[in-house]
């Protein structure tokens, strides 16, 4: 019999740590109240999958997470993964921004050991809660040798997703997590089954290490709509090193906003055209002459992930060609 894997479980809050007044409260409940030990106590079966070592790092809803929280989670994971007696890690996390934290870890952790970020759409107290099974599945995935080298994974609703692609795409349903090119695999009765692996570079193959990052440059997002006024764009651009413009369609920009965005680029703000559609590529020099205006485009990264990637990219370079290549590589 092979020895059980040693898995570190880090609690950070969210619905998976939530509690409702009644079992019918599937959407109205208090978030981030149960400690990680109490959550693990609901799944004694997980002890058959792995030796668990739990710790509470944070206890807050992920809608509150700023760069300092991401850095804190990354640093703690890095020091745990460096230990010989830790084979993988699970982070319990709110679902609201799970894809941002997961993508950040995917790009900055320097380890092939499995890291799984997991949340739930219903608190443990609700009817048909997904909390216990999602956590059980996450531990199963983190403990399994086939999960090594795949970067950071998000497990929910019997599915394993790569951090790069996964997006929370429903506000309340259990089936909330989608990857535009499909999941990597399923988890069934404590066994992961993979059908594909991530194509883009991650973890050991990126230039970023969580161990040397102390802050992240300020990158903001502007969400496009017809009546968006110039002053709002100027105000956001004034305080940022990078600006993700979540444009309509293929990164389209209303005529009255061209000048403030061009002006921002002239002042050295890195302006990136993205799309608010939730899916698809933004074509460079397509809807706008990006070369002429000194703008960048995302490849297919949704605006919140583009924010993470640009912030990391700006720690390396401010050269537009280097930054553009980063969007196409990660
Ligand atoms: N507000 C919660 C959070 O992201 C929602 C959830 O966990 O589903 O922390």
């Amino acid at each position: 019999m092979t020895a059980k894997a040693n898995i570190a479980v880090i609690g950070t809050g969210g619905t998976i740590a939530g509690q409702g007044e009644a079992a019918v409260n599937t959407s109205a409940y208090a978030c981030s109240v149960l400690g990680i030990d109490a959550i693990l106590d609901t799944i004694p079966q997980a002890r058959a999958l792995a030796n668990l070592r739990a710790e509470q790092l944070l206890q807050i809803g992920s809608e509150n997470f700023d760069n300092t929280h991401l850095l804190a989670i990354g640093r703690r994971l890095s020091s745990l993964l460096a230990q010989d007696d830790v084979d993988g890690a699970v982070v319990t996390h709110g679902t609201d921004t799970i894809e941002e934290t997961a993508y950040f870890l995917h790009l900055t952790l320097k380890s092939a050991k499995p890291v799984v970020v997991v949340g739930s759409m219903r608190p443990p107290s609700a009817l048909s809660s997904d909390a216990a099974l999602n956590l059980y599945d996450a531990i199963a995935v983190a403990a399994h040798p086939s999960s090594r080298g795949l970067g950071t994974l998000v497990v929910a609703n019997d599915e394993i997703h790569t951090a790069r692609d996964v997006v929370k795409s429903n506000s309340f349903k259990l089936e909330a997590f989608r990857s535009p090119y499909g999941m990597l695999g399923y988890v069934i009765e404590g066994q992961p089954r993979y059908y594909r692996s991530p194509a883009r570079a991650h973890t050991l193959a990126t230039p970023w290490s969580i161990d040397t990052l102390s802050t992240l440059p300020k990158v903001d997002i502007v969400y496009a709509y017809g009546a968006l006024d110039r002053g709002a764009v100027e105000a956001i651009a004034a305080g940022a090193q990078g600006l993700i413009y979540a444009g309509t369609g293929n990164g389209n920009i209303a005529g009255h906003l061209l000048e403030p965005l061009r002006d921002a680029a002239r002042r050295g703000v890195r302006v990136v055209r993205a799309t608010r559609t939730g899916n698809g590529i933004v074509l460079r020099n397509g809807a706008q002459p990006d070369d002429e205006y000194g703008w960048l485009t995302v490849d297919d990264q949704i605006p919140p992930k583009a924010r993470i990637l640009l912030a990391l990219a700006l720690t390396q370079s401010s050269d537009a060609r280097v930054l553009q290549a980063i969007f196409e590589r990660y």
Side-chain angles (χ1 to χ4, degrees):
M1 201 185 112
T2 48
K4 278 192 283 183
N6 298 319
I7 301 299
V9 184
I10 299 179
T12 75
T15 294
I16 197 165
Q19 179 117 49
E21 273 179 27
V24 292
N25 293 130
T26 53
S27 290
Y29 49 82
C31 246
S32 315
V33 291
L34 299 175
I36 189 63
D37 291 327
I39 307 172
L40 283 170
D41 283 348
T42 67
I43 48 164
Q45 304 84 347
R47 306 261 168 201
L49 297 172
N51 302 314
L52 303 177
R53 182 207 290 189
E55 64 181 62
Q56 192 79 48
L57 183 65
L58 303 168
Q59 186 65 304
I60 39 179
S62 67
E63 63 275 17
N64 302 297
F65 282 15
D66 61 23
N67 295 340
T68 60
H69 299 100
L70 301 191
L71 289 163
I73 295 170
R75 274 193 214 111
R76 185 62 193 137
L77 278 170
S78 175
S79 92
L80 285 166
L81 296 172
Q83 296 172 23
D84 290 340
D85 61 351
V86 172
D87 300 306
V90 170
V91 180
T92 60
H93 195 291
T95 61
D96 284 2
T97 64
I98 199 167
E99 67 252 47
E100 287 153 73
T101 304
Y103 190 43
F104 176 75
L105 299 173
H106 191 63
L107 294 170
T108 61
L109 289 174
K110 290 284 160 270
S111 175
K113 294 179 184 176
V115 172
V116 181
V117 189
V118 65
S120 71
M121 294 299 291
R122 294 180 185 160
S125 52
L127 289 174
S128 288
S129 173
D130 51 338
L133 186 57
N134 282 356
L135 183 54
Y136 179 79
D137 284 350
I139 292 166
V141 169
H144 202 277
S146 61
S147 304
R148 272 185 73 90
L150 297 178
T152 301
L153 303 166
V154 171
V155 167
N157 206 28
D158 310 308
E159 297 176 353
I160 310 167
H161 294 261
T162 167
R164 181 190 185 274
D165 295 345
V166 72
V167 177
K168 181 176 181 178
S169 54
N170 192 283
S171 62
F172 80 102
K173 287 178 56 179
L174 298 192
E175 193 182 17
F177 299 92
R178 291 259 175 245
S179 293
Y181 318 108
M183 68 194 108
L184 299 183
Y186 291 122
V187 201
I188 184 163
E189 297 205 357
Q191 288 287 324
R193 292 196 194 180
Y194 288 99
Y195 302 95
R196 53 170 82 227
S197 47
R200 297 296 180 101
H202 57 79
T203 52
L204 297 171
T206 79
W208 304 288
S209 167
I210 187 67
D211 301 321
T212 55
L213 285 169
S214 51
T215 55
L216 288 176
K218 186 163 163 54
V219 175
D220 287 314
I221 301 172
V222 174
Y223 188 93
Y225 53 95
L228 175 60
D229 74 65
R230 180 182 177 130
V233 174
E234 285 168 345
I236 292 172
Q241 279 175 259
L243 190 150
I244 309 297
Y245 188 82
T248 52
N250 203 274
N252 282 309
I253 298 176
H256 68 286
L257 299 178
L258 292 176
E259 202 36 47
L261 289 170
R262 290 189 66 185
D263 187 53
R266 279 184 216 110
R267 288 184 296 100
V269 180
R270 287 300 174 205
V271 174
V272 181
R273 289 194 302 119
T275 173
R276 68 173 201 181
T277 60
N279 278 295
I281 290 167
V282 174
L283 186 68
R284 187 169 172 81
N285 295 315
Q288 293 292 333
D290 299 295
D291 286 347
E292 184 187 335
Y293 293 172
W295 293 345
L296 307 166
T297 52
V298 292
D299 175 2
D300 66 341
Q301 293 88 357
I302 60 165
K305 290 194 188 190
R307 182 190 81 83
I308 300 283
L309 185 56
L310 182 60
L312 288 170
L314 286 169
T315 66
Q316 297 279 303
S317 175
S318 57
D319 183 283
R321 269 169 307 186
V322 174
L323 298 175
Q324 187 63 64
I326 284 174
F327 275 98
E328 279 144 37
R329 183 165 162 75
Y330 303 100

